[in-house]
Structure formats: C-alpha cells, structure tokens
Amino acid sequence: MASTDLKDRLVILGSKGGPAIRPGGPSPTSSLIEIGGRRCVVDCGLGVTRGLVEAGVQLKDLDLVFITHMHSDHVLELGPLLHTAWTTGLARTVRVYGPADLMEYWDGFLNSMRYDIDLRIDDEGRPDLRDLVEIHLIREGDLSLEDEKLSVRALKVDHPPVADCFALRFETADWSVVFSADTTYFPPLAKFAQGCAVLVHEAMLERGVDTIVQITGNGARLREHLLASHTTAPDVAKIAEAAKAGTLVLNHLIPADLPGFETEEWLDATKAFSGKTIVGHDGLTITRS
C-alpha cells in the first residue's frame, strides 16, 4: 500500500558480507528502500529487525520484502522480522518476494513457531500470522506489484553454487536504485543497471580473503568460494562505469570488520568509476536529491 508521507530514501541496515558477527562490527546484509510511497526491505540478514526500528520504521507498517537468494546472511531473520512485526500490531498483508526455496523456509518457520502463534491468537486476539504473509517467487523480468508508480525488475546473476540469485532494480519516474545481490563479476549487470541513480553493489578486497580464511577456517574451500562467487572492488568499478550509475554504494563488504582495511583502500580500488563512490556502513542513509 503506497503512502504519500514517505520520502524517497535508501538505508543500508547491514553492510557486512557473510553471516559471522564480531564485537562492535557491522551486521550482515539488509537494506531499506522507501521509493514511490512504498517501503521495501531488501534481504533479511541478522539484525534487520533492530536496524529497521532504528531507521524509524514502525514494524506494523511493513509492506514489501525481497530476498535476493537463500544464503543465511540474506534470509536468516526474515521469519523473526515478520513475527516481531506481528507482535507489534501488524494486521495487513505483507508481500515477500524471493527464490523458489523461500516457501520451504517460511513453512518451516511457521511450523517451528506454531505453539507461540496459536497461543497468541487465542490468548491475545491477534489475526493469524499465516494469513498475513504472501510468498511470491521471483523470476527474471518485471515483478507484478500492481503499482502504477513503482516498478521492480529482477535479473538472475552469477553466484555459484547458488542457482537462484537475483539483482533487483527499483524504479519510479523520479528515482532508480539497483541492488547487485551477491555475484561474481557479471557484465550483463551493467546493462540492467544502466543509468540508475544509485547502484548498491557487493564488493571484495582480494587482499582480505586470506585474512578471512585464517580467522574463519575452512582453508582452501572457503578461499575458492569467495574468489569464485564475489566481485572484487576494481571489477565493481567497471560495472558502475559501464552502467553510467550516478552513485556507487559498496556493500556486502568483504572484509567489513577487520583492522587494516580502511575507507581509502576501498575508494582507491574503485577509482576507475568516474561517479561518486560511497563505502557502505550500517545506518548509511541516502535520500533522493
């Protein structure tokens, strides 16, 4: 349901790549985009619920949620977000868009919380949460929002071994924001993002991969995954430049919370992009100018 009170803005709620959290560090991936009077949550990594509240969102006013793929750092807190919104007064339908396995996740979450949901319906007179959430599967192309002002399009990107991972483009007559989702260097994304006002793209510093592997473990297997499935910062700059994006926001940072990796290094690594580059951080807010 569109609201004329919402001002167009993007808020990075969680800027970290990967599911681990560390003392004082950023949260895994989630974002808020308010555009064309719609409130859209993109990905639901750990911390999304608190991040939305701190961004001034009343959870009972949730509208649209998009899950780009089923890695835990993008979907782990979807169920808890919707349940918490319900306990704070959600009484209208929320549409959730995501890949094919999303329905299995949601059914599993509802089953795990069946006792609590049934109890609160009987004891507190709440509407049934199961009737308030609609799951819609994402396919490439336009997503059907039944909204004359806002269009959302999806592009399947390359994030092995995940089969279904989707970049998303949110667009009105006044503003356009593209989320790369998790992806290796994927040139077709530049065409998908062509002319966008803001490109939010995952980014990795190759120098940090060995440090992450040393801290996390799993050795060669983890290193192989990171290099095969994510985009180095210089390649992100190539995509942004080819897309002629207005502003590039580096997000899903790898590494995001390790000492010795400062803003200047990220900016230097993306200097091939001639537009404005912002290194993402939790709470970063960009408003439509």
Side-chain angles (χ1 to χ4, degrees):
M1 181 181 297
S3 170
T4 57
D5 297 331
L6 290 180
K7 305 299 183 183
D8 288 352
R9 65 169 178 162
L10 164 69
V11 184
I12 302 298
L13 305 173
S15 57
K16 178 187 181 299
I21 57 174
R22 300 183 178 92
S27 295
T29 309
S30 61
S31 298
L32 166 69
I33 176 172
E34 293 173 339
I35 181 172
R38 305 301 295 267
R39 178 177 289 111
C40 308
V41 178
V42 179
D43 285 328
C44 292
L46 194 64
V48 62
T49 306
R50 173 64 67 181
L52 285 168
V53 171
E54 292 182 350
V57 174
Q58 294 191 45
L59 296 181
K60 67 179 181 179
D61 293 332
L62 282 183
D63 182 7
L64 301 169
V65 180
F66 299 84
I67 302 298
T68 61
H69 65 293
M70 295 301 294
H71 264 146
S72 61
D73 53 325
H74 296 256
V75 74
L76 185 63
E77 202 170 304
L78 171 62
L81 168 62
L82 294 169
H83 185 280
T84 305
W86 177 63
T87 62
T88 56
L90 179 70
R92 68 180 190 180
T93 300
V94 178
R95 290 187 179 184
V96 182
Y97 293 79
D101 289 338
L102 184 62
M103 182 64 75
E104 183 177 2
Y105 166 93
W106 179 238
D107 286 344
F109 177 81
L110 289 175
N111 188 54
S112 72
M113 295 299 295
R114 179 180 54 81
Y115 174 82
D116 179 89
I117 294 170
D118 290 343
L119 186 66
R120 291 185 187 278
I121 292 171
D122 292 339
D123 186 46
E124 301 171 9
R126 298 184 182 277
D128 195 329
L129 174 60
R130 290 160 288 216
D131 296 332
L132 297 179
V133 177
E134 292 182 356
I135 302 295
H136 298 261
L137 301 186
I138 293 179
R139 296 178 177 86
E140 280 198 318
D142 291 329
L143 305 185
S144 177
L145 299 184
E146 301 172 0
D147 190 310
E148 295 180 355
K149 291 184 177 180
L150 174 65
S151 70
V152 181
R153 288 191 287 139
L155 172 73
K156 184 179 286 191
V157 292
D158 189 12
H159 184 49
V162 177
D164 289 331
C165 184
F166 295 94
L168 298 170
R169 181 174 182 133
F170 296 79
E171 189 161 21
T172 65
D174 301 313
W175 205 38
S176 54
V177 178
V178 174
F179 294 84
S180 72
D182 284 12
T183 180
T184 188
Y185 177 57
F186 191 61
L189 184 59
K191 181 178 180 180
F192 181 73
Q194 194 69 34
C196 67
V198 181
L199 172 60
V200 183
H201 201 300
E202 72 134 74
M204 178 174 65
L205 289 174
E206 191 168 353
R207 186 176 73 85
V209 172
D210 287 336
T211 304
I212 292 174
V213 168
Q214 182 179 4
I215 293 173
T216 308
N218 303 331
R221 291 289 297 276
L222 178 58
R223 189 176 195 281
E224 181 181 347
H225 164 75
L226 292 173
L227 294 176
S229 302
H230 296 282
T231 310
T232 62
D235 282 341
V236 173
K238 293 178 184 178
I239 295 293
E241 186 69 13
K244 296 181 174 60
T247 296
L248 170 63
V249 177
L250 305 180
N251 193 42
H252 192 275
L253 301 177
I254 304 174
D257 52 1
L258 300 180
F261 298 89
E262 306 300 333
T263 298
E264 291 73 16
E265 184 172 356
W266 289 102
L267 295 178
D268 184 65
T270 53
K271 62 186 178 183
F273 174 55
S274 58
K276 181 180 181 180
T277 300
I278 301 174
V279 181
H281 59 81
D282 293 12
L284 171 67
T285 302
I286 296 173
T287 56
R288 177 172 66 86
S289 56

